[in-house]
């Protein structure tokens, strides 16, 4: 397989994965404040909880280009900073610290111990750290365990020893935890099974008698080796261990959690066991046993407790009672174990309890939750069960215990963090007639699943909207003196006058401000220490603090057409094309510069920058003229109004703004000239603050209206508000310092300005028609907006109505009672197991039942009603598996909705009692569905598709063509086209592409004359296809179960032969190649993005952008593959990627190229996520790479940012 390719794609992540596999808590910044570090796929993210506001915000995220398997936090004794240990697929142990000053992760140690990849004998699956930070144990699923001793050297730097081995062959590890033993030798506990006997015994008897053991490993710090200290048999269903506090805080030991039981074990204590309480309720199965799936231990002064979560999401509070001595002080001996119901939260992968009284729940699916503790459940009505009622011996039976689930009392949800995990299906389409399409996804599982609309934009919170008497043309705010913190006036300019409003408790009109109210205003500014100035077409009014007014009149027969001001300078342009410049002198009055500068055309806009800190004037004046140029004039006393540089534009400039912003290239702040054109294009140019030269221009199309620019401040940084057909905000990204331009999710504004008052310190004021609006931007970290509509069950697939803005979602839930069964149980008079209260399923889940399916079809309107319009439940244990809209030519091209279902399906091993194809007719423009008929088939049809006025259905290995009859569907053609099972169909013309569950894709041609379906090309590699799309007539792009993306192309000759007239007979009798089709597909591109693709589309994401491949991943990833146009770009990015692999090696020690070639060598794809790490490098590394590439640093950064901004966000 040659790695050179004639086709190259650039891979970018639009939205990183949002599934959190693990979350850890610690003081990573070295301050008192606790932070949370989460692992999602290959990304480490740091979150900062804000206890005052009850919010949690993402501070920093880092892609380690490797699979993060496990995380642990540890702290050396006596220090106040936590370090992070990362166990990844690199075969190395990584120790990382967070550097708050630079907001980045810094790698301290990288120790190799094995091969890379996730293998069963290579450590990295389990990680446990001694609570005193002296040692850590990293273990594999089988055989190998390594212990590293952590210490510090004379320079107080962290050191790590060489590994100590604690290997044991033919042993499987199920869980591992470090014991809290105070300052004695560190001890690690593991749940293990020795399978050597059952491996030798073919009868299976040894397997039945196998025993699971709890094993203690002790690290002897004096002798520097590890020994097996103690082992004891535990219940065979045990799956989790939790550390019990030791030393001065508690008895030490572990909690061992198994099916329906929790046991306290320690080498020198008796065992204490309690059962896991089961739910009461008519719809609950009283025999179903629960497992503990997650939990957390929290220490308080002199006490500790556990919160353990069952697989239903119920939290139980577990505590230990100690034996007390004569002085009623607790000894280290345990008396009993107690358990009681606490609350119910969504099923979690990790739970974190913060010292500030919050609970962070990293949910397995759906949004992550952030709760505040109201109370600790000590004095409530819940029954408390103790270990005295249960035998400690794991083999003895006992009576189950029950509780009544109820709404949350102890914790209160304060914030949700958006998470689209898992994305089951996704579509990109433009339903709202915006300039850019929206992304529609179905995600989540069970009753917490949602239909989400995702748009590019920033969230805006509106503070005030008030109607004005007539339509204003502009608005300003101003302070009264330089030292004021907040604005005092809002000034509105109308076509015939000016209105001044004062800002206070209420906003009211004031008349005695000294402003001229009979003329429109062009500019307003607080000047000098305490003056105000108003520029109007006939002159400039300077209002002093004592209300004296100085007027500078415009020369006769001329008026002012443009003005710009800052706190010390004023420049105006006259209708004759002259520029008049003023500066403030020592006594606070305006002094006019004696010469006027004549420009070549009519001046359309001007801009003075802010006066830099410690200077008396801004150095430059930017002048835009209607001859499509921008000139930079010097304001230096020696060369006032001399031209420094000029830039030609594609259209006349409508707005200019000089401002300093943070910059990733220089690392500091840089002066920029922002230019808005009448054509709606926005340009950003670097303005050299010494020579006045303009360089490095970047452009963006904002919309069809002329662009206006305003300087605003958001979240403490200077930003530019750009208004065209919709408002945009240009700001600096906190992490990368790159310039971002994002639309606001708001109405189109005609004018905007900064606004600051006591109620709203960082807001903006704008006008839209007759309305005055005051608004603020809450956060800059998320530039994708999500709106969600709740769904009933786990969504499987969805389709859009061909003409109307409605979507049809099929949902099915395995192991859940259907509504009919639930109602029957609720109405059953002889109900057992308690009361018939119905709990809200989005919090408590649905009642479970083996072998049962609940399934429905929902009609969704995401645009107008933003809700579910209709819900059709499926009866008889059917589950929907596929959906399509099909127009039947036999029914005058009327469009029907076709849904494929399976009956009594068992997922593994796969079986069912048959399948059905339901046909529905659209009523009321698609708002409702009317059932017509259903047709029985042998197996569930996993894919259906409209094809040439008929229906294609994939039933097992067979592909069938159906037409619509009166009572059922009529079979027209059939062929066996794949080896295992068809899971997806695509079509163009008379060509059909079928994807097999494990044997990649097959191209099939339909010959109309012979009425035959003939496969003619298939693939040579097994690919477990999950999604597929046709890029063009010859090429398909798809993804597979192992997280690969690939492009395959049909050989040209085979493609032409298949479409020839009368080639049917020739194709049927052509010789098969290796039991497959006669021809083979060519692999064009291959890439490992590390998420299982669930949908892929060829589409555009921005107005006027190029076609690209947009894919969604199971863990909530949204990504794109952009084709390169020129070979030069390919060479440039390939070289850049090579340099970055060496200079910015992945944090966890994985080789980047090997990582991206996990299953098949990467081919024809350049990793944009790696290239985008270039701006984050240190300055000398950037310059070294720039030297190698023979470009400037700015040029490289511009190319990298253009690759993204031209096609996506």
């Amino acid at each position: 397989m040659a790695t050179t390719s004639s086709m190259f794609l650039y891979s970018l992540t639009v939205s990183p994965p949002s599934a959190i596999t693990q979350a850890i808590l610690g003081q990573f910044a070295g301050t008192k404040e606790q932070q949370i570090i989460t692992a999602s796929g290959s990304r480490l993210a740091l979150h900062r909880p804000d206890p005052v506001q009850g919010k949690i915000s993402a501070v920093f995220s880092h892609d380690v280009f490797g699979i993060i398997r496990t995380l642990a936090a540890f702290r050396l004794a006596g220090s106040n900073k936590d370090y992070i240990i990362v166990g990844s697929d690199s075969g190395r142990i990584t120790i990382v610290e967070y550097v708050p000053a630079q907001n980045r992760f810094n790698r301290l140690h990288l120790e190799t111990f094995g091969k890379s990849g996730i293998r069963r004998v290579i450590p990295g699956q389990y990680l446990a750290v001694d609570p005193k930070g002296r040692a850590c144990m990293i273990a594999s699923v089988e055989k190998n365990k390594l212990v590293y001793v952590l210490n510090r050297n004379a320079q107080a730097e962290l050191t790590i020893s060489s590994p100590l081995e604690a290997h044991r062959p033919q042993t499987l590890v199920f869980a591992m935890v470090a014991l809290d033993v105070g300052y004695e030798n560190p001890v690690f506990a593991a749940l293990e099974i020795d399978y050597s006997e059952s491996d030798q015994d073919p009868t299976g008897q040894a397997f039945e008698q196998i025993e699971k053991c709890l094993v203690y490993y002790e690290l002897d710090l004096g002798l520097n080796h590890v020994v097996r200290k103690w082992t004891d048999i535990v219940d065979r269903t045990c799956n989790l261990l939790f550390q019990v506090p030791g030393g001065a805080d508690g008895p030490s030991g572990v909690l061992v959690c198994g099916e329906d039981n929790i046991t306290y074990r320690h080498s020198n204590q008796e065992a204490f066991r309690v059962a896991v309480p089961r739910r009461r309720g008519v719809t609950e199965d009283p025999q179903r046993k629960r497992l503990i799936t997650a939990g957390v231990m929290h220490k308080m002064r002199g006490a500790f407790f556990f919160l353990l979560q069952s697989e239903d999401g119920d939290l139980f509070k577990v505590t230990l009672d100690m034996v007390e001595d004569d002085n009623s002080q607790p000894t280290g001996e345990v008396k009993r174990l107690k358990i009681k119901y606490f609350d119910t939260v969504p099923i979690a992968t990790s739970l974190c309890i913060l010292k500030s009284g919050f609970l962070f729940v990293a949910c397995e699916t759906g949004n992550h939750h952030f709760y505040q503790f109201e109370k600790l459940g000590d004095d409530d009505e819940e029954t408390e069960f103790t270990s005295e009622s249960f035998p400690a011996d794991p083999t003895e039976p006992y009576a189950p215990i029950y509780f009544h689930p109820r709404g949350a009392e102890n914790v209160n949800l304060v914030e949700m963090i958006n998470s689209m995990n898992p994305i089951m299906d996704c579509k990109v389409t433009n339903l709202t007639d915006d300039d850019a399409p929206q992304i529609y996804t179905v995600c989540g599982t069970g009753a917490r699943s949602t239909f989400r609309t995702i748009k590019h934009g920033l969230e805006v919170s509106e503070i005030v909207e008030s109607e004005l008497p007539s339509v204003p043309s502009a608005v300003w705010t101003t302070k009264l003196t330089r030292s004021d913190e907040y604005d005092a006036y809002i000034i509105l300019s109308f076509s015939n006058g000016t209105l001044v409003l004062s800002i206070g408790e209420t906003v009211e009109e004031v008349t005695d401000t000294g402003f001229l109210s009979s003329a429109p205003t062009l500019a307003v500014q607080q000047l000098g220490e305490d003056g105000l100035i108003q520029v109007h077409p006939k002159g400039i009014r300077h209002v002093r603090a004592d209300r004296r007014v100085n007027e500078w009149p415009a020369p006769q027969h001329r008026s002012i057409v443009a003005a710009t001001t800052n706190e010390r300078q004023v420049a105006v342009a006259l209708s004759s094309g002259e520029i008049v410049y003023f500066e403030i002198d020592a006594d606070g009055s305006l002094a006019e510069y004696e010469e006027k500068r004549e420009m070549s055309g009519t001046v359309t806009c001007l801009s003075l920058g802010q006066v830099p800190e410690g200077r008396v004037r801004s150095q430059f004046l930017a002048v835009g003229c209607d001859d499509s140029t921008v000139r930079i004039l010097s304001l230096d006393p020696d060369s006032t109004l001399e031209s420094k540089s000029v830039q030609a534009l594609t259209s006349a400039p409508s707005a200019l703004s000089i401002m300093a912003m943070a910059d990733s290239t220089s690392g500091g702040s840089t002066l920029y000239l922002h230019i808005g054109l009448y054509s709606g294009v926005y340009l950003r140019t670097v303005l050299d603050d010494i020579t006045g030269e303009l360089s490095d221009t970047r452009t963006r199309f904002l919309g069809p209206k002329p662009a206006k620019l305003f300087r605003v401040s958001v979240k403490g940084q200077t930003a530019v508000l750009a208004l065209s057909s919709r408002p945009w905000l240009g700001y600096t990204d906190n992490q990368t310092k790159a310039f971002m331009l994002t639309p606001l999710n708001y109405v189109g504004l005609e004018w905007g300005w900064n606004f600051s008052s006591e109620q709203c310190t960082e807001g903006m004021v704008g006008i839209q028609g007759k309305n005055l609006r005051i608004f603020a931007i809450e956060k800059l970290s998320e530039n994708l907006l999500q709106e969600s509509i709740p769904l009933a069950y786990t969504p499987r697939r969805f389709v859009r109505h061909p003409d109307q803005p409605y979507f049809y979602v099929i949902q099915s839930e395995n192991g859940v009672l259907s509504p009919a069964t639930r109602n029957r149980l609720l109405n059953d008079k002889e109900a057992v197991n308690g009361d018939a209260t119905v709990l809200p399923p989005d919090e408590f889940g649905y009642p479970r039942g083996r072998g049962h399916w609940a399934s429905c079809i929902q009609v969704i309107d995401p645009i107008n009603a933003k809700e579910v319009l209709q819900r059709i439940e499926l009866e008889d244990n059917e589950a929907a598996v596929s959906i399509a809209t099909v127009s039947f030519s036999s029914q005058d091209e009327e469009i029907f909705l076709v849904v494929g279902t399976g009956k009594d399906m068992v997922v593994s091993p796969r079986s069912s009692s048959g399948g059905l194809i339901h046909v529905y007719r659209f009523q009321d423009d698609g708002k409702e569905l009317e059932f017509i008929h259903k047709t029985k088939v042998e197996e569930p049809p996993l894919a259906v598709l409209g094809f040439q006025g008929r229906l294609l259905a994939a039933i097992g290995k067979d592909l069938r063509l159906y037409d619509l009859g009166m009572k059922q569907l009529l079979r027209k053609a059939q062929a066996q086209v794949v080896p295992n099972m068809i899971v997806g169909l695509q079509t163009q013309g008379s060509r059909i592409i079928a994807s097999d569950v494990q044997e990649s894709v097959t191209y099939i041609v339909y010959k109309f004359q012979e009425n035959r379906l003939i496969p003619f090309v298939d693939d040579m590699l097994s690919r477990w296809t999950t999604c597929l799309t046709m890029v063009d007539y010859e090429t398909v792009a798809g993804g597979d179960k192992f997280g690969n993306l690939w492009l395959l192309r049909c050989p040209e000759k085979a493609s032409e032969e298949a479409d020839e007239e009368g080639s049917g007979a020739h194709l049927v009798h052509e010789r098969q190649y290796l039991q497959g089709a006669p021809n083979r597909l060519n692999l064009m591109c291959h890439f490992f993005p590390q998420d299982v693709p669930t949908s892929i589309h060829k589409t555009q994401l921005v107005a006027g952008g190029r076609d690209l491949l947009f894919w969604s991943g199971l863990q909530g990833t949204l990504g794109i593959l952009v084709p390169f146009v020129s070979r030069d770009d390919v060479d440039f990015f390939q070289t850049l990627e090579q340099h970055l692999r060496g200079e910015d090696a992945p944090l966890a020690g994985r080789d980047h190229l090997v990582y991206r070639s996990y299953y098949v060598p990467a081919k024809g794809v350049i990793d944009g996520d790696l290239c985008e790490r270039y701006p984050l490098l240190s300055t000398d590394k950037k310059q070294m790479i720039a030297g190698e590439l023979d470009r400037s640093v700015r040029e490289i950064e511009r190319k990298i940012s253009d690759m993204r901004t031209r096609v996506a966000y």
Side-chain angles (χ1 to χ4, degrees), residues 459-774:
E459 190 59 67
V460 171
S461 56
E462 187 167 81
I463 297 157
V464 179
E465 179 198 358
S466 64
E467 201 169 332
L468 300 165
S470 62
V471 178
S473 57
V475 60
W476 294 269
T477 59
T478 180
K479 304 191 276 194
L480 288 179
T481 67
R482 177 182 287 189
S483 54
D484 284 2
E485 196 177 343
Y486 302 120
D487 294 328
Y489 293 152
I490 295 178
I491 298 99
L492 290 154
S493 168
F494 298 90
S495 54
N496 55 358
T498 295
L499 179 70
V500 183
L501 307 172
S502 79
I503 304 169
E505 292 297 314
T506 58
V507 172
E508 54 213 27
E509 186 178 346
V510 281
T511 49
D512 58 341
T513 55
F515 280 3
L516 183 66
S517 60
S518 58
T521 303
L522 294 172
V524 173
Q525 173 75 42
Q526 187 276 317
L527 195 76
E529 289 305 320
D530 52 11
L532 290 176
I533 135 172
Q534 175 195 18
V535 182
H536 55 91
K538 286 292 166 215
I540 302 174
R541 277 175 89 89
H542 183 191
V543 183
R544 306 298 288 267
D546 50 11
R547 294 296 157 91
R548 280 182 305 152
V549 175
N550 297 344
E551 179 93 33
W552 177 87
Q556 255 177 332
H557 311 305
R558 281 173 271 181
S559 60
I560 298 175
V561 292
T564 177
T565 59
N566 63 28
E567 59 263 40
R568 300 189 59 87
Q569 298 159 289
V570 179
V572 296
L574 304 177
S575 50
S576 57
E578 292 163 310
I579 286 179
V580 190
Y581 170 61
F582 304 84
E583 248 184 58
I584 191 165
D585 56 21
D587 64 347
S589 58
L590 270 185
E592 179 187 351
Y593 177 68
E594 55 270 15
E595 288 176 34
K596 296 182 176 63
R597 168 75 196 255
E598 188 100 22
M599 300 308 284
S600 53
T602 309
V603 177
T604 57
C605 47
L606 298 167
S607 174
L608 282 163
Q610 293 293 93
V611 178
E613 196 75 29
R615 297 276 183 92
V616 291
R617 63 175 69 80
S618 163
Q619 298 288 83
F620 302 111
L621 169 68
V623 184
C625 299
D626 64 355
D627 59 357
S628 300
T629 58
V630 169
R631 294 170 199 279
I632 301 294
L633 306 183
S634 165
L635 298 179
D636 210 47
D638 308 335
S639 58
T640 310
L641 298 186
E642 274 183 25
S643 181
K644 285 285 194 183
S645 63
V646 61
Q647 177 158 348
L649 308 165
T650 52
S651 121
S654 55
L656 295 172
S657 176
I658 295 177
M659 63 172 94
M661 290 176 83
D663 174 31
S664 63
T665 310
S666 63
S669 123
T670 301
L671 204 57
Y672 289 107
L673 170 63
H674 302 268
I675 308 169
L677 305 186
Y678 275 100
S679 57
V681 172
Y682 158 87
L683 296 93
R684 185 182 73 126
T685 306
V686 176
L687 174 61
D688 189 301
D689 45 7
I690 293 160
T691 63
E693 289 293 323
L694 295 172
S695 62
D696 186 31
T697 308
R698 306 197 186 176
T699 59
R700 257 316 257 286
F701 175 63
L702 301 184
K705 281 185 171 176
K708 300 191 183 118
L709 306 175
F710 306 95
R711 175 201 165 99
V712 291
S713 98
V714 180
K715 295 281 170 222
Q717 60 160 294
T718 308
V720 56
L721 177 69
L723 306 178
S724 176
S725 52
R726 63 200 266 205
W728 297 69
L729 187 76
Y731 57 96
T732 308
D733 182 62
N734 275 338
Q735 191 175 327
T736 60
K737 297 286 177 272
F739 181 73
M740 311 277 281
L741 191 63
T742 311
L744 301 182
N745 185 30
Y746 205 51
V747 292
L749 300 172
E750 276 92 60
W751 194 275
W753 204 260
N754 214 35
F755 175 85
S756 176
S757 73
E758 282 185 52
Q759 288 77 27
C760 163
T761 49
E762 281 194 324
M764 297 172 212
V765 55
I767 47 183
Q768 173 242 341
K770 274 177 121 176
N771 293 332
L772 178 74
R773 292 171 180 265
I774 297 175

Side-chain angles (χ1 to χ4, degrees), residues 827-870:
N827 300 329
D828 187 358
K829 293 288 177 280
E830 295 155 21
V832 288
N833 197 18
D835 50 15
T837 47
V838 179
L839 300 164
D842 54 332
E843 290 175 36
F844 295 91
Y846 291 107
R848 314 263 184 108
R850 267 186 182 233
H852 289 264
W853 284 84
S855 182
C856 71
I857 305 163
Q858 286 187 335
V859 183
I860 288 173
D861 175 2
I863 304 301
N864 306 316
K866 300 197 174 174
E867 62 179 16
V868 175
L869 302 177
Q870 188 192 9

Side-chain angles (χ1 to χ4, degrees), residues 53 237 305 316 325 348 494 502 564 614 637 689 734 742 764 770 815 898 933 952 1004 1073 1097 1100 1115 1118 1150 1176 1202:
Q53 293 183 320
T237 59
F305 66 89
F316 299 103
D325 61 13
F494 298 90
S502 79
T564 177
D689 45 7
N734 275 338
T742 311
M764 297 172 212
K770 274 177 121 176
V898 176
H933 57 61
L952 269 181
I1004 301 141
Y1073 178 65
H1097 302 280
Q1100 296 168 349
Q1115 299 179 5
L1118 298 176
R1150 189 85 167 101
L1176 300 170
D1202 277 358

Side-chain angles (χ1 to χ4, degrees), residues 216-229:
Y216 278 12
Y217 290 92
E218 182 179 20
L219 163 67
D220 192 321
L221 287 170
L223 299 172
N224 208 21
H225 72 152
V226 185
V227 290
R228 265 170 87 100
K229 184 182 175 189

